Amino acid sequence: MQIEISQKPRSEISADLEIVCVIAKDFDHHWIEDRDLLESAGFEGAQDETCLLPEKKRLYVGSDSLHHDDIRSAFAAALRAARKTKAEHLKTGLYLGKCSAQNIKAMTEGMVFGDYDYDEYKTEKSKHPVKRVTISIEDFNSKSIDADKASGYVESSVTVARATNYVRNLVNTPPDDMTPEMLALKAVSLAEENGLDCIVLDEKGIEAENMGAFLAVSRASDHPPRLVHLSYRPQNPLYKIALVGKGLTYDSGGLSLKPAEYMVTMKSDKAGACAVLGIIKAVSELKLPIEVHGIVGATENMIGGNAYKPDDVLRAKNGKTIEIRNTDAEGRLVLADCLCYAQEKVEPDYLLDFATLTGACVVALGEYTTGLMGHDRALKHSFSKAASNAGELTGTLPFNRYLKKLIKSDIADVCNISSTRYGGALTAALFLDHFIEKEYKHKWLHLDIAGPAYVEKAWGYNQAGASGAGVRMTIKWFEQIIKQNLKDKNS
Ligand code: BES
Ligand code: ZN
Ligand code: ZN
């Protein structure tokens, strides 16, 4: 599906179908030409409600406001409805709000997401009749905008939305097809296609890096682990950023085996790693002036005679010892070693990790919200602002001095689970904190995406399954810090 901006008014663009938004149920607006027909069809203009008038070649959709979140959702609903028709070429106008760029991006993303389905394993594939969308530069509230600028916004948001769909596909792929080796191969293909550097470590390489925690988790699997280090290095970068991703291609819980009903969906435990790949894909296609490294720990957490056990003591890359009391708290073990690797090899200005780390985070914030944790208030604040501008939800969970004590161990430097059942998202993050060197404490941000990365029921413009959580907010934050950096330089 191609999306383009046209200088022509809507009436002069020929297309098979026009998308018209009804904003805040205002049927008096001069763009709503079919008031009576809509009324007799029972269309009320509620958010995401659609009404097709084939004889008029119009498809109406309701949006509660011109807020970018409502517009994104409405355009996704409109595209989904349009896919049920035979229309190949759609047209629409601009629905600009407070920030023109944001709304153009929301319209574009909505349509790319509305066109998404995961049908890889269905014999009968879903239909994608819409080949082209022309957006007239004509605005609903007669705001004017430069056509070249508008085209630029369309182009960059298509790139980000496609990178999000790329993550969805990776995460949705079943565990026997997306093994650690396969995930590493996907990273290698991405590197080849986008001109990135890519290092892949196998079991021996991981051992040579003294990653005893990561290795222990992987031991009982028939699929060997992989550490992937992808990097995008433009000339004269403004920042150097390391992204670390949890890549559990399957989490059975290990010997602390998950109950059957909690095990289903655990193919999604690689979503952090997949988000990292998607972010690097987008950054390199957008050619952002920052150096970005993606470090992914890919493995399965399985059972077997050689499985790591509760009572084991492991030694991580930084030399710290870890008492294991639950093998299902495995993500933090893989991340511990990967975080050490990232600090040692990359020496980044910012260090972000993405992980479906805890069920507790989902309990705390609900399924749709990413848990943001870290030591630096300004960093958390700037990231959450970027997330909300990008249409993703975050909630900041606060550390405190008492929580730290809950992961003390009698026989090792730290224990992999907390001694209480409360605040599990925070105690997991504080476990990771043991592997963050002093100079990186204020450069580190931990994102627990256990909720939004994979939701079994469709929500808003997201289909059931993987959502690609993390991509849009991180790209937005990158754009924000780049802009701020250039501003500081010029003042
Ligand atoms: N991968 C899970 C966390 C998870 C749960 C992600 C639900 C997505 C949805 C993680 O490895 C895990 O099992 N965590 C345990 C930790 C506990 C043993 C301290 C959990 O959250 O129950
Ligand atoms: Zn687990
Ligand atoms: Zn896990």
Side-chain angles (χ1 to χ4, degrees), residues 246 251 253 258 269 301 327-331:
K246 170 177 173 182
D251 180 12
K258 285 184 186 291
D269 215 19
N301 184 23
T327 62
D328 198 11
E330 84 301 335

Side-chain angles (χ1 to χ4, degrees), residues 246 251 258 266 269 326 328-332 356-360 417 450:
K246 170 177 173 182
D251 180 12
K258 285 184 186 291
M266 278 303 136
D269 215 19
N326 190 317
D328 198 11
E330 84 301 335
R332 61 195 76 182
T356 46
L357 203 62
T358 64
I417 54 164

Side-chain angles (χ1 to χ4, degrees), residues 136-189:
S136 161
I137 200 82
E138 196 187 343
D139 174 55
F140 189 73
N141 282 328
S142 316
K143 273 195 171 185
S144 60
I145 178 163
D146 179 73
D148 287 339
K149 265 195 181 159
S151 294
Y153 298 144
V154 167
E155 214 177 294
S156 62
S157 52
V158 166
T159 299
V160 176
R162 289 205 178 130
T164 307
N165 286 348
Y166 161 86
V167 176
R168 292 171 168 184
N169 284 338
L170 289 177
V171 176
N172 281 327
T173 305
D176 240 22
D177 288 343
M178 192 55 71
T179 58
E181 286 162 293
M182 185 51 80
L183 193 55
L185 285 177
K186 292 284 175 191
V188 170
S189 321

Side-chain angles (χ1 to χ4, degrees), residues 9 121 303 311 490:
Y121 291 80
I303 52 172
D311 289 345
N490 288 332

Side-chain angles (χ1 to χ4, degrees), residues 95-380:
Y95 291 85
L96 303 179
K98 265 196 202 129
C99 168
S100 302
Q102 211 167 27
N103 277 37
I104 295 176
K105 289 181 180 190
M107 289 172 62
T108 311
E109 274 172 14
M111 291 191 278
V112 177
F113 292 157
D115 202 32
Y116 179 80
D117 271 315
Y118 186 67
D119 59 5
E120 213 41 56
Y121 291 80
K122 294 254 195 200
T123 306
E124 197 170 325
K125 303 293 180 197
S126 47
K127 294 193 175 74
H128 300 272
V130 182
K131 300 285 177 269
R132 186 174 166 205
V133 182
T134 306
I135 305 175
S136 161
I137 200 82
E138 196 187 343
D139 174 55
F140 189 73
N141 282 328
S142 316
K143 273 195 171 185
S144 60
I145 178 163
D146 179 73
D148 287 339
K149 265 195 181 159
S151 294
Y153 298 144
V154 167
E155 214 177 294
S156 62
S157 52
V158 166
T159 299
V160 176
R162 289 205 178 130
T164 307
N165 286 348
Y166 161 86
V167 176
R168 292 171 168 184
N169 284 338
L170 289 177
V171 176
N172 281 327
T173 305
D176 240 22
D177 288 343
M178 192 55 71
T179 58
E181 286 162 293
M182 185 51 80
L183 193 55
L185 285 177
K186 292 284 175 191
V188 170
S189 321
L190 177 64
E192 281 168 3
E193 282 158 25
N194 287 22
L196 312 170
D197 295 324
C198 188
I199 301 168
V200 177
L201 301 187
D202 61 9
E203 240 166 331
K204 285 214 173 81
I206 297 168
E207 205 178 329
E209 290 290 342
N210 301 314
M211 299 175 133
F214 182 1
L215 267 185
V217 172
S218 72
R219 220 160 55 203
S221 170
D222 279 345
H223 298 289
R226 291 289 182 264
L227 180 131
V228 177
H229 179 177
L230 259 181
S231 42
Y232 162 68
R233 305 167 199 253
Q235 272 177 5
N236 307 317
L238 300 176
Y239 294 106
K240 193 154 67 162
I241 292 163
L243 309 174
V244 173
K246 170 177 173 182
L248 264 286
T249 61
Y250 205 69
D251 180 12
S252 72
L255 289 180
S256 314
L257 195 65
K258 285 184 186 291
E261 61 276 25
Y262 288 101
M263 206 185 295
V264 257
T265 74
M266 278 303 136
K267 66 171 182 182
S268 69
D269 215 19
K270 58 185 179 298
C274 299
V276 167
L277 299 190
I279 294 163
I280 296 209
K281 176 176 161 67
V283 169
S284 56
E285 288 166 10
L286 295 170
K287 301 193 168 63
L288 297 185
I290 49 176
E291 183 172 318
V292 183
H293 294 255
I295 290 110
V296 156
T299 179
E300 287 187 329
N301 184 23
M302 300 298 281
I303 52 172
N306 61 344
Y308 82 124
K309 308 167 191 68
D311 289 345
D312 273 342
V313 174
L314 312 177
R315 187 180 295 275
K317 183 169 168 60
N318 68 350
K320 283 206 184 181
T321 56
I322 307 165
E323 178 192 358
I324 302 303
R325 292 181 74 87
N326 190 317
T327 62
D328 198 11
E330 84 301 335
R332 61 195 76 182
L333 303 172
V334 174
L335 285 178
D337 277 338
C338 291
L339 284 165
C340 294
Y341 178 99
Q343 292 161 88
E344 183 186 303
K345 311 280 180 198
V346 181
E347 299 181 343
D349 299 314
Y350 292 106
L351 172 60
L352 273 56
D353 75 76
F354 298 81
T356 46
L357 203 62
T358 64
C361 193
V362 193
V363 173
L365 298 170
E367 279 184 295
Y368 313 117
T369 304
T370 294
L372 263 190
M373 286 155 268
H375 297 291
D376 195 88
R377 275 177 72 172
L379 180 55
K380 286 184 282 188

